[in-house]
Amino acid sequence: MQIMPETTPQITDLISVCCLKDMETWEITSAFIVRNIASKQYRVIVPDKEVMEFIKKSPPQFQVIGESRYTQLFSQKLSKLLPENKKSQFGWYLQQFIKLLAIQDNTSQDIVLIWDADTAPINQLYFISEDGRLIYYKSSENHQPYFETIQKLTGLDKKVSFSFIAQCFPIKVVWFNSFCSALEKKFQVDWIDAILDHIDFDKPNSFSEYETLGTFISHHYPDQVIYSDRPWWRLGNTLINHVAFLSNKKANALSIQYDFISFEKWERAKPYFIKVSIPYFFKIYLPSLLKKNSNRYV
């Protein structure tokens, strides 16, 4: 295991956003997060009515925060801007702005890591090099509407040959503050309004917080970042059928090949019933049920 020097800056705040329908995934991925990513603070932001359930089922290292602390600043405007045929994307946009606002809970000297709640780090991960540069993973996504919005907001074109949408994103708070200040100076409105005003909501999924900040950073701080070629895997459900099958033994075996694995809810192994439901029942649900019932008689 790599041991980082004591003088190397540390991640100050790891931020995830989740909701109850993804609890089964979160219970597994969150355990891997605290085990494999060092941070001074861990926070998961969830719908207010689900806070207590997340406190019960999250690792004790995680502070659970109700999302209204952030959504009250923009959710009404977001809802009004979304056309009727795009209302289903409300939650997708919502979680991005929650993450952005949560960055500003920290001081300008801090370093924040945004981590997707559906992703399990299966290796010890470091996002700051020994010389203090931030380390970014790569992906191959290329969604043109993202860059149309970025161009309108910042005037910047895509500079790198890869995508920053890689399930995680480290950022220095001072960089984010600089990004927000640039938008507010250019448009003479709050940075949230500036972004919302320049998203083309008639097009599907027209904003990415990772791609936007990554483009800004690649232009303004190129000497302060490193781009990692370490492999990770997005289609975790296809790989092992279901997140419930990610045991420590399985994770150790997969860690030879990947640094982290994502279990996104849109992606299911098929045929689901044969490949997932039946194995899940016998390997996960039934043993859990038997253990629960046996404990009643202890």
Side-chain angles (χ1 to χ4, degrees):
M1 182 180 71
Q2 180 184 7
I3 300 176
M4 303 299 288
E6 291 183 4
T7 55
T8 300
Q10 296 181 3
I11 296 295
T12 307
D13 187 16
L14 185 148
I15 300 167
S16 292
V17 177
C18 199
C19 61
L20 198 57
K21 64 182 178 180
D22 297 320
M23 177 61 81
E24 185 175 33
T25 300
W26 173 250
E27 285 189 87
I28 294 170
T29 60
S30 60
F32 281 98
I33 290 170
V34 297
R35 184 185 313 159
N36 288 326
I37 304 175
S39 178
K40 293 182 180 179
Q41 174 177 265
Y42 301 84
R43 293 191 294 157
V44 59
I45 302 166
V46 305
D48 290 20
K49 63 183 179 181
E50 299 173 4
V51 166
M52 292 309 299
E53 190 66 19
F54 269 86
I55 290 175
K56 293 177 186 176
K57 296 187 177 180
S58 298
Q61 293 92 333
F62 268 94
Q63 179 184 0
V64 182
I65 299 173
E67 66 180 24
S68 64
R69 172 174 173 176
Y70 309 102
T71 57
Q72 62 181 339
L73 300 175
F74 68 90
S75 59
Q76 288 186 353
K77 181 172 182 175
L78 173 61
S79 182
K80 290 178 181 178
L81 288 171
L82 277 168
E84 284 301 321
N85 64 344
K86 298 292 190 300
K87 293 294 186 186
S88 61
Q89 296 180 17
F90 178 79
W92 184 83
Y93 282 109
L94 190 86
Q95 53 88 21
Q96 295 192 61
F97 283 93
I98 289 173
K99 295 172 190 173
L100 294 178
L101 283 162
I103 293 172
Q104 293 190 315
D105 288 336
N106 297 273
T107 69
S108 60
Q109 292 78 33
D110 291 335
I111 300 174
V112 172
L113 175 64
I114 302 173
W115 184 269
D116 285 5
D118 59 11
T119 301
I122 54 177
N123 269 321
Q124 288 280 322
L125 301 185
Y126 301 96
F127 291 87
I128 308 171
S129 67
E130 293 187 10
D131 60 0
R133 290 182 289 174
L134 299 195
I135 302 170
Y136 291 86
Y137 283 83
K138 305 175 183 178
S139 80
S140 58
E141 188 166 336
N142 187 17
H143 185 53
Q144 187 56 32
Y146 293 157
F147 298 99
E148 293 172 3
T149 303
I150 293 168
Q151 174 61 227
K152 288 188 289 185
L153 286 170
T154 67
L156 301 175
D157 294 322
K158 183 178 175 70
K159 186 178 181 181
V160 299
S161 60
F162 55 87
S163 170
F164 284 95
I165 304 174
Q167 312 303 119
C168 51
F169 195 92
I171 186 168
K172 293 185 178 182
V173 177
V174 67
W175 295 354
F176 183 68
N177 290 342
S178 178
F179 166 76
C180 295
S181 296
L183 294 186
E184 291 175 351
K185 182 178 180 180
K186 181 176 181 178
F187 299 107
Q188 296 298 300
V189 295
D190 185 86
W191 65 267
I192 304 175
D193 290 320
I195 296 176
L196 289 171
D197 290 343
H198 290 83
I199 295 173
D200 185 351
F201 288 102
D202 289 319
K203 294 181 180 179
N205 304 341
S206 293
F207 174 73
S208 164
E209 82 281 38
Y210 289 174
E211 210 75 275
T212 301
L213 293 176
T215 299
F216 182 83
I217 290 167
S218 68
H219 278 270
H220 291 278
Y221 309 101
D223 297 331
Q224 299 183 50
V225 300
I226 297 174
Y227 302 124
S228 174
D229 289 317
R230 287 287 305 167
W232 58 278
W233 191 249
R234 186 173 187 178
L235 306 178
N237 292 312
T238 299
L239 184 66
I240 65 171
N241 295 337
H242 193 283
V243 67
F245 301 141
L246 189 66
S247 63
N248 289 334
K249 182 178 179 180
K250 187 69 174 178
N252 287 336
L254 291 171
S255 68
I256 298 172
Q257 190 170 1
Y258 306 113
D259 273 359
F260 51 88
I261 301 173
S262 175
F263 297 88
E264 299 183 7
K265 52 180 174 288
W266 60 265
E267 180 249 339
R268 278 187 167 189
K270 297 180 180 180
Y272 190 80
F273 182 76
I274 295 174
K275 293 186 70 175
V276 178
S277 298
I278 293 176
Y280 181 88
F281 177 81
F282 285 103
K283 293 182 180 180
I284 307 296
Y285 178 77
L286 187 59
S288 176
L289 182 64
L290 292 173
K291 181 179 179 180
K292 184 182 295 185
N293 286 336
S294 66
N295 287 340
R296 294 178 180 177
Y297 302 102
V298 174

